[in-house]
């Protein structure tokens, strides 16, 4: 029977993935999977939501998407926990309060998987070590599609968390220790001296750290955009794509068209102002 065998794994490159089975390299066609885009994560929510009587409250969808960091696992788990909490409370609206309770349930369920690594990374005998705050800022830093972020991108979120201006020298020691065996390593460094980038050793740890920061009161609710369009427009990918596609016939209040990623088989449409009307995605 004709068959296709798919080898799936998490590694820095193909060589690491098949380190003990080099002989199968010639039979493989590598496919790199980047993190999912925000609109793809939103589609996951929609496909499940339409099968239930539940409705999402204001900003709930955006919060789930931002917490997931492009990882569909967190969309599934947070959505499932939110539905369960809403059902227990006998309400059909999934509000921010319901989602916060779902986050608590999720953190409790995954405690045995992530807590030890998290606790090992942030524990210090010095009360003012600020390892917890710096690690949270790393989780909030702007990153590319592969999850890599620069040290400079940590400055802004760390300044917000500490409520004072910080410089690179204030947390460089923390980044170095996060890459040591004594604290994990919880971070990995890539690139040359002038182009160094960091990422979490376990990509699943990043959303966990963010949720802990929210539940511990280190991140205010105001840090989440009020609408999903605000999230999409901040992605570098969207700003670099000139194509447009109309997917709804509902007029946009702002009469502006939003760019969408190119889809196979679809050619770019003329700009909305040339067509006379604009539509929201």
């Amino acid at each position: 029977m004709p068959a296709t065998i798919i080898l799936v794994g998490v590694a820095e490159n193909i060589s690491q993935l098949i380190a003990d089975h080099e002989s199968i390299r010639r039979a493989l066609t590598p496919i790199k999977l980047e993190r999912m885009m925000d609109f793809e994560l939103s589609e996951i929510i929609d496909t499940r939501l339409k099968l239930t009587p539940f409705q999402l409250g204001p900003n709930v969808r955006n919060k789930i998407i931002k917490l997931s960091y492009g990882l569909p696992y967190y969309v599934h788990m947070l959505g499932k926990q939110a539905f369960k909490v809403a059902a227990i409370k006998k309400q059909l609206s999934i509000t921010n309060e319901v989602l916060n309770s779902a986050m608590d349930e999720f953190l409790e369920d995954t405690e045995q998987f992530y807590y030890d690594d998290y606790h090992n990374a942030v524990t210090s005998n010095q009360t003012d070590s600020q390892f917890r705050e710096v690690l949270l800022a790393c989780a909030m830093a702007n990153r590319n599609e592969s999850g890599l972020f620069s040290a400079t991108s940590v400055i802004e979120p760390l300044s917000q968390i500490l409520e004072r201006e910080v410089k690179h020298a204030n947390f460089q020691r923390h980044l170095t220790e996060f890459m040591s065996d004594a604290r994990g390593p919880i971070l990995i460094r890539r690139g040359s001296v002038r182009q160094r980038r960091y990422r979490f050793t376990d990509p699943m740890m990043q959303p966990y750290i963010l949720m802990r920061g929210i539940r511990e009161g280190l991140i205010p609710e105001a840090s989440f955009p009020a609408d999903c369009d605000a999230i999409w427009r901040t992605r570098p990918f969207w700003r670099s794509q000139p194509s447009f596609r109309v997917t709804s016939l509902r007029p946009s209040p702002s009469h502006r068209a939003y760019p969408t990623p190119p889809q196979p088989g679809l050619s770019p449409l003329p700009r909305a102002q040339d067509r006379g009307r604009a539509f929201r995605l």
Side-chain angles (χ1 to χ4, degrees):
M1 296 293 292
T4 299
I5 298 177
I6 302 177
L7 177 65
V8 182
V10 178
E12 284 288 301
N13 48 54
I14 296 297
S15 298
Q16 288 186 10
L17 189 63
I18 59 174
D20 298 328
H21 308 278
E22 288 289 341
S23 60
I24 69 172
R25 179 189 295 271
R26 59 183 179 271
L28 295 178
T29 300
I31 301 175
K32 185 179 181 180
L33 296 180
E34 301 288 1
R35 301 192 182 204
M36 296 182 70
M37 301 297 292
D38 295 336
F39 81 98
E40 295 174 315
L41 298 176
S42 183
E43 287 177 357
I44 294 177
I45 299 175
D46 287 335
T47 55
R48 274 63 174 177
L49 193 63
K50 67 182 181 181
L51 302 177
T52 73
F54 294 104
Q55 294 181 347
L56 296 181
N59 204 33
V60 172
R61 178 193 302 270
N62 316 313
K63 194 172 181 179
I64 292 176
I65 291 174
K66 187 170 183 181
L67 287 171
S68 301
Y69 278 108
L71 303 174
Y73 167 78
Y74 279 93
V75 174
H76 287 287
M77 297 305 296
L78 287 176
K80 182 184 75 171
Q81 294 292 354
F83 288 169
K84 289 174 60 178
V85 172
I88 293 174
K89 293 186 176 182
K90 298 182 179 180
Q91 63 183 66
L92 296 180
S93 178
I94 300 178
T95 62
N96 270 304
E97 290 73 18
V98 171
L99 183 58
N100 288 336
S101 299
M103 289 168 54
D104 292 335
E105 294 289 338
F106 176 80
L107 291 174
E108 183 177 350
D109 291 345
T110 59
E111 196 77 6
Q112 56 182 336
F113 297 111
Y114 303 116
Y115 178 76
D116 289 342
D117 293 337
Y118 174 80
H119 182 74
N120 186 48
V122 302
T123 300
S124 176
N125 294 328
Q126 301 177 356
T127 57
D128 59 344
S129 61
Q130 298 179 347
F131 281 104
R132 183 180 63 161
E133 289 79 4
V134 174
L135 188 62
L136 177 58
C138 291
M140 297 173 61
N142 290 330
R143 66 208 181 280
N144 61 18
E145 287 76 7
S146 299
L148 294 168
F149 62 92
S150 64
T152 303
S153 63
V154 178
I155 295 178
E156 182 178 352
L158 183 58
S159 298
Q160 295 176 354
I161 294 171
L162 298 178
E163 298 182 343
R164 60 179 175 84
E165 185 178 354
V166 299
K167 298 181 179 180
H168 184 271
N170 298 130
F171 59 87
Q172 180 57 47
R173 177 179 66 89
H174 298 76
L175 295 180
T176 303
E177 291 205 32
F178 285 147
M179 294 181 294
S180 66
D181 293 337
R183 297 193 178 274
I186 198 169
L187 292 182
I188 296 176
R189 184 172 61 194
R190 292 291 179 263
S192 60
V193 175
R194 294 184 177 275
Q195 296 180 340
R196 282 178 177 172
R197 294 294 184 270
Y198 304 84
R199 75 169 181 85
F200 283 86
T201 305
D202 181 1
M204 305 296 285
M205 179 65 70
Q206 191 174 6
Y208 174 84
I209 294 171
L210 182 61
M211 281 189 280
R212 283 195 66 98
I214 294 173
R215 301 314 293 150
E216 292 174 358
L218 296 177
I219 307 175
E221 286 287 333
S223 61
F224 290 91
D227 63 278
C228 207
D229 292 333
I231 298 178
W232 292 347
R233 289 195 295 269
T234 60
R235 297 284 299 245
F237 179 87
W238 299 100
R239 295 196 295 269
S240 63
Q241 299 299 323
S243 61
F244 289 80
R245 179 165 60 95
V246 175
T247 58
S248 172
L249 297 181
R250 180 163 57 89
S252 168
S254 58
H255 294 284
R256 291 182 297 177
Y258 293 86
T260 66
Q263 301 292 326
L266 292 176
S267 58
L269 295 176
R271 290 183 176 275
Q273 55 265 34
D274 298 334
R275 296 170 60 87
R277 299 190 71 182
F279 298 92
R280 181 178 294 276
L281 294 180

